[in-house]
């Protein structure tokens, strides 16, 4: 792996995607947006590479089997 995987937080994800919080969580439930990762007891974030894949083609995005499934 050439670069370390970055984890980005909610505000950054919303700013990059232009989605509202409720739309983003609905898309997560549908499997059409990357799942968040638990990074601490009260914190979560998203893999930057997964969010970038969604941004590149939001209509065709589906969770990859290797990624952690949503809780």
């Amino acid at each position: 792996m050439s670069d370390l995987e970055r984890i980005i937080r909610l505000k950054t994800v919303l700013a990059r995607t232009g989605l509202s919080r409720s739309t983003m969580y609905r898309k997560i439930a549908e499997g059409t947006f990357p799942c968040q990762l638990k990074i601490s007891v009260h914190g979560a974030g998203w893999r930057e590479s997964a969010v970038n894949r969604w941004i590149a083609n939001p209509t065709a995005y589906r969770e990859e089997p290797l990624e952690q499934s949503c809780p």
Side-chain angles (χ1 to χ4, degrees):
M1 188 192 239
S2 60
D3 292 344
L4 293 175
E5 180 70 60
R6 284 188 52 194
I7 302 297
I8 55 178
R9 299 296 299 265
L10 179 63
K11 285 185 179 183
T12 305
V13 173
L14 296 178
R16 284 191 181 178
T17 63
L19 296 174
S20 69
R21 181 183 169 122
S22 59
T23 298
M24 184 191 69
Y25 282 111
R26 179 177 43 80
K27 288 183 169 295
I28 290 171
E30 294 169 351
T32 59
F33 194 84
C35 292
Q36 65 270 36
L37 304 170
K38 189 169 184 140
I39 57 176
S40 69
V41 175
H42 298 289
W46 285 258
R47 286 186 176 94
E48 185 174 34
S49 61
V51 173
N52 289 339
R53 273 197 332 274
W54 184 89
I55 291 169
N57 194 353
T59 58
Y61 182 88
R62 289 284 173 200
E63 280 290 331
E64 291 183 4
L66 297 176
E67 289 186 1
Q68 185 176 354
S69 60
C70 296

